[in-house]
Amino acid sequence: MWPFSNTCQSRARLVGRTVIITGANTGIGKETARDLYWRGARVILACRNLEKAKEAVEELKNIPTSSNQDREEFRGQPGELAVCKLNLSSLASVRECAKRLSTSEPRIHLLINNAGVMACPKEKTEDGYELQLQSNHLGHFLLTLLLLPKITESVPGCRIVNVSSMAHAMGKIHFNDLMLDESYSPLKAYQQSKLANILFTKELARKLKEAGIDGVNTYTLHPGVIATELGRHLDRAFFPGLRLMMKLWRPFIKTPVLGAQTTIHCAVDDNAKNETGLYYRECRATSPSMQAMNMDDAAKLWMESLRLVGLPEVEKLDDLLESISNKVIPSL
């Protein structure tokens, strides 16, 4: 177990709050769901595989989160658990999920964009986009914006948390070849998608402020190096034997419980409710790479992402939200 991990210290209860977590049937997503459920929240697991999501729900109901089960505040009533189908590699699935949640949920207070893929072999989605860029960035970008009208109706205290990675520091947004058709490598695609998470977080925070929308804050984070299913493609992506090396490093790799702590911090910490657009590591705000601070790239990526997911290419966020709320987008 990694000996230098900080843990979320907040004792906040979340009774009456509705939380959506993508990819919550396994890994740090499941541990985040476990924690917030036992804080009293209504937690919706948005997952590609509904059977695995339902299995996760049964586990979460019976086993309190190991990092907090002895704390007094977790002796109260847990919340509720539900599932919703979401395949981020299909924009049609993202739209259907957003439509269902916007219709079924009176309020949405917290969206945690956790799901992702890492260092996959080259693959195109049904929409014709590079798999990692769509699963890690474009799918969450579309989901967030389609749910944003409902989130803004649920203020105050709403938060949008995007799980990134320290891998962003080696990344670059390849605007002339976003799908990396000319120069694909699994690591290059992953780094680009994780950098996109941070740029999206910062640009969304800027646009919310520009639109005068208070009570919705954005966060992005590096969870740590974690023993989960996410790294199943590492051998093919880098070199044979890396997974063996990972086994040797296992004493220094976080468990999913520890890996979820910074996500939980961003979701519930009282001090963090006064912060927005920042990057976190080990339950505290820190500086991302220089390229992740490039607001020109953030604005350019925003507009390009709107085009790729089929949303109106408008500069002002309030105009975009009005279009979404009025359902003027044919595919919605």
Side-chain angles (χ1 to χ4, degrees):
M1 179 182 298
W2 180 249
F4 306 116
S5 291
N6 289 334
T7 57
C8 177
Q9 298 300 306
S10 172
R11 301 191 173 195
R13 293 281 294 171
L14 298 179
V15 177
R17 312 291 281 180
T18 297
V19 180
I20 299 167
I21 308 176
T22 69
N25 64 291
T26 188
I28 64 174
K30 183 167 72 174
E31 296 306 327
T32 302
R34 194 194 310 272
D35 185 285
L36 302 187
Y37 165 68
W38 285 93
R39 291 177 187 265
R42 170 171 167 78
V43 180
I44 301 170
L45 287 68
C47 304
R48 180 174 56 184
N49 188 317
L50 285 183
E51 289 306 312
K52 289 185 177 180
K54 291 174 183 177
E55 290 173 5
V57 163
E58 293 308 308
E59 177 190 328
L60 298 179
K61 286 179 179 178
N62 296 314
I63 307 174
T65 179
S66 58
S67 63
N68 289 315
Q69 60 186 335
D70 295 329
R71 291 185 182 178
E72 183 175 350
E73 70 270 25
F74 286 90
R75 296 174 188 167
Q77 285 294 109
E80 303 175 56
L81 291 166
V83 301
C84 184
K85 185 172 180 59
L86 171 66
N87 179 0
L88 290 161
S89 65
S90 164
L91 296 182
S93 174
V94 174
R95 293 187 186 98
E96 180 58 34
C97 177
K99 181 178 180 180
R100 183 174 303 174
L101 292 172
S102 295
T103 302
S104 66
E105 301 304 316
R107 296 286 185 270
I108 297 174
H109 304 95
L110 180 56
L111 172 62
I112 300 176
N113 291 318
N114 162 83
V117 293
M118 177 183 179
C120 316
K122 187 175 183 178
E123 182 178 341
K124 290 290 183 73
T125 68
E126 67 181 45
D127 302 289
Y129 301 145
E130 190 275 313
L131 178 63
Q132 293 188 78
L133 185 69
Q134 179 164 338
S135 297
N136 296 349
H137 167 60
L138 291 174
H140 283 134
F141 177 87
L142 178 60
L143 179 68
T144 300
L145 292 182
L146 294 182
L147 292 179
L148 199 53
K150 178 67 70 173
I151 294 171
T152 58
E153 292 172 4
S154 308
V155 297
C158 296
R159 307 187 191 194
I160 297 168
V161 181
N162 295 317
V163 177
S164 182
S165 167
M166 66 179 181
H168 84 273
M170 300 298 291
K172 176 184 176 182
I173 305 298
H174 301 269
F175 286 108
N176 294 328
D177 183 23
L178 269 179
M179 303 308 152
L180 301 179
D181 292 322
E182 303 300 323
S183 59
Y184 184 85
S185 79
L187 181 57
K188 185 177 182 179
Y190 181 70
Q191 291 168 339
Q192 174 177 248
S193 70
K194 294 290 102 178
L195 176 57
N197 293 152
I198 302 177
L199 293 174
F200 169 44
T201 301
K202 290 187 172 296
E203 183 66 3
L204 179 56
R206 188 186 70 80
K207 286 190 175 294
L208 286 165
K209 181 178 180 180
E210 180 182 70
I213 299 174
D214 296 322
V216 181
N217 289 1
T218 72
Y219 310 80
T220 187
L221 64 107
H222 168 59
V225 179
I226 305 157
T228 70
E229 296 177 2
L230 188 62
R232 59 187 176 274
H233 298 295
L234 287 176
D235 267 355
R236 282 179 288 179
F238 300 104
F239 54 85
L242 180 57
R243 290 181 67 84
L244 175 59
M245 291 177 63
M246 294 290 283
K247 289 180 181 179
L248 296 176
W249 295 340
R250 189 166 296 277
F252 304 101
I253 295 175
K254 289 185 179 185
T255 64
V257 170
L258 289 177
Q261 295 305 304
T262 302
T263 302
I264 296 166
H265 171 87
C266 291
V268 305
D269 185 76
D270 285 339
N271 292 325
K273 72 181 179 182
N274 299 316
E275 301 168 343
T276 189
L278 301 183
Y279 172 74
Y280 296 78
R281 185 172 180 174
E282 298 298 340
C283 299
R284 61 170 64 95
T286 188
S287 296
S289 66
M290 289 298 294
Q291 55 266 40
M293 304 288 284
N294 188 325
M295 293 310 294
D296 289 337
D297 278 359
K300 186 175 181 180
L301 178 64
W302 176 281
M303 296 303 294
E304 184 65 11
S305 298
L306 287 177
R307 183 185 69 81
L308 291 170
V309 302
L311 291 177
E313 295 173 51
V314 294
E315 289 285 349
K316 292 186 177 180
L317 182 62
D318 44 5
D319 291 339
L320 178 61
L321 296 185
E322 183 178 2
S323 296
I324 294 170
S325 297
N326 293 334
K327 298 180 173 62
V328 299
I329 304 166
S331 57
L332 184 62

